[in-house]
Amino acid sequence: MTLRNNLVDVALQWQEEYGVAPSITSAVSEYDAAMLVGMKESEYSEYMKDKTAVSKGADFVFKNIRYQVKGNRPSGKKGSFVTKVPKASNYEWDKLIWILYDKNYVMQEAWEWCVQDYRLAFDSIKRLSPNHYRKGKCLYQKE
């Protein structure tokens, strides 16, 4: 079992016991995005070792491309579905990947945007929905 799966299992157990899952969506989505673009787990591990949780611009760099990652996960409770997605607060990256999970952190879809197209499409929009991101390049969609 991978470390990612262990983290998800513990978060889901925590949610079951205490009602709200710990905030792991960012960490999981950054890892999943790196795997989606072909980064090996060992490369990701080596790259992330000296990083902090708060970094401006890119979440990781692979093949000289700076990636910004956004992710959403509904809690699974009644009325919990994703209607608002996080918007990039800067443009210090080359590609943005948005990942939507189900309540168990299973990837449902992933979409990619290059910074120029993203800025043109969304700079003047205050609130983004999943349908906005779905106009990008599909990297993954669960059947």
Side-chain angles (χ1 to χ4, degrees):
M1 184 178 273
T2 67
L3 192 53
R4 180 215 186 271
N5 292 344
N6 290 342
L7 178 61
V8 166
D9 287 346
V10 168
L12 292 174
Q13 288 172 20
W14 184 282
Q15 179 176 308
E16 182 71 27
E17 187 67 28
Y18 302 116
V20 177
S23 299
I24 66 165
T25 305
S26 290
V28 171
S29 63
E30 288 171 18
Y31 170 87
D32 286 344
M35 299 305 106
L36 271 175
V37 299
M39 197 174 202
K40 292 187 173 94
E41 192 169 356
S42 59
E43 291 174 294
Y44 181 74
S45 173
E46 189 60 36
Y47 177 82
M48 295 302 288
K49 291 234 177 183
D50 65 346
K51 303 302 180 270
T52 63
V54 181
S55 58
K56 188 174 181 181
D59 292 309
F60 68 93
V61 178
F62 179 59
K63 294 185 177 178
N64 294 319
I65 298 171
R66 300 171 300 163
Y67 288 92
Q68 170 71 241
V69 181
K70 302 292 182 190
N72 288 97
R73 174 221 173 231
S75 69
K77 295 181 178 170
K78 186 178 178 181
S80 169
F81 51 93
V82 175
T83 60
K84 181 181 178 185
V85 297
K87 184 177 178 181
S89 59
N90 66 66
Y91 299 110
E92 297 176 28
W93 43 270
D94 302 306
K95 292 186 178 186
L96 179 139
I97 296 174
W98 173 67
I99 299 175
L100 179 64
Y101 295 97
D102 69 7
K103 66 180 183 172
N104 295 313
Y105 298 94
V106 174
M107 191 183 312
Q108 300 300 297
E109 53 189 286
W111 300 87
E112 181 183 86
W113 284 84
C114 73
V115 69
Q116 300 89 342
D117 292 343
Y118 185 93
R119 184 180 230 155
L120 268 172
F122 306 134
D123 194 51
S124 63
I125 299 174
K126 298 281 185 236
R127 180 185 167 97
L128 298 180
S129 73
N131 286 335
H132 286 105
Y133 278 159
R134 289 179 180 129
K135 294 175 183 169
K137 176 185 174 190
C138 183
L139 295 181
Y140 177 82
Q141 199 156 26
K142 190 170 182 185
E143 299 296 320

